[in-house]
Amino acid sequence: TRLQGDWSSDVCSSDLGLFYVGDRLTGRHGQTDPSLVRPSLPVAAAHDWDGASIDDWPSYSALLPSERGTFLEWLAGGRRDPRAGISYVFVFFYGLERRAFKDPDRGDEDLAVLREEVRGLREVYGHNRSFERYASSLLDALDLLMGGVGRATPRSVDFVGDELPQWLRVELSLRARAG
């Protein structure tokens, strides 16, 4: 499935890869989007699978060449290698968030592809509490974007931290409004 986007001549996406490739893609606050894979940056052989030296808010542009090599190997290998440090997962995840909320003309089919990707990532990397929280929130938001509001089916409520899931907050609000 091809996810649509607002691409300039030097930014494109992979039809199956679900990531951005190019040299320009503006992120928050005018900087380069952290998920953008920039072919102009140097890449070295992969060897840093844990990514322990990567900043708490990782960005592809800020990775060392060997970390970029590891990230690209992780992408090419299907994005489910449990050796990969969570920072690599987050660089990719930021692109999924962007696709869900910033790319125009997304339809339910595109959102369903994103949802399945996030679910797959959560199965492998959900042991990380931070990633579990972000992934769960994105899954809830994707459900809402796909029309899940007002038609909740009974399901278990998994708390991550001390907050109610987004879908439950919306459902409770709609029911309260309806009396």
Side-chain angles (χ1 to χ4, degrees):
T1 301
R2 181 168 181 354
L3 297 178
Q4 300 298 316
D6 182 25
W7 314 116
S8 66
S9 61
D10 59 347
V11 176
C12 62
S13 76
S14 168
D15 287 350
L16 299 175
L18 298 175
F19 58 92
Y20 297 92
V21 177
D23 283 315
R24 282 193 337 217
L25 186 63
T26 304
R28 292 178 58 196
H29 312 295
Q31 88 289 11
T32 299
D33 191 274
S35 67
L36 180 64
V37 175
R38 299 177 63 196
S40 60
L41 296 177
V43 174
H47 76 277
D48 183 14
W49 280 96
D50 65 359
S53 66
I54 299 174
D55 188 64
D56 286 342
W57 297 98
S59 168
Y60 181 83
S61 296
L63 297 177
L64 298 172
S66 62
E67 294 165 340
R68 286 189 205 110
T70 304
F71 177 74
L72 294 174
E73 187 172 319
W74 176 76
L75 283 178
R79 301 179 297 268
R80 300 297 187 273
D81 190 329
R83 294 180 300 161
I86 201 65
S87 295
Y88 298 117
V89 180
F90 269 111
V91 170
F92 176 69
F93 184 79
Y94 297 153
L96 299 178
E97 289 179 319
R98 180 186 178 96
R99 286 183 183 279
F101 300 118
K102 289 195 60 122
D103 284 355
D105 303 323
R106 64 186 183 279
D108 281 355
E109 183 179 322
D110 293 342
L111 295 173
V113 169
L114 292 176
R115 185 171 54 191
E116 289 310 306
E117 183 65 22
V118 174
R119 283 182 179 159
L121 291 169
R122 192 171 74 169
E123 285 179 21
V124 177
Y125 305 104
H127 62 277
N128 178 283
R129 291 183 64 162
S130 179
F131 184 74
E132 172 64 25
R133 187 176 77 249
Y134 279 91
S136 294
S137 292
L138 182 55
L139 288 171
D140 286 344
L142 289 168
D143 286 345
L144 294 173
L145 289 171
M146 295 175 68
V149 177
R151 57 184 178 106
T153 56
R155 62 181 180 177
S156 67
V157 178
D158 297 321
F159 289 90
V160 179
D162 58 355
E163 295 185 16
L164 291 175
Q166 292 174 3
W167 71 267
L168 183 56
R169 286 189 243 168
V170 171
E171 197 65 39
L172 290 170
S173 298
L174 290 172
R175 289 174 188 243
R177 185 174 68 183

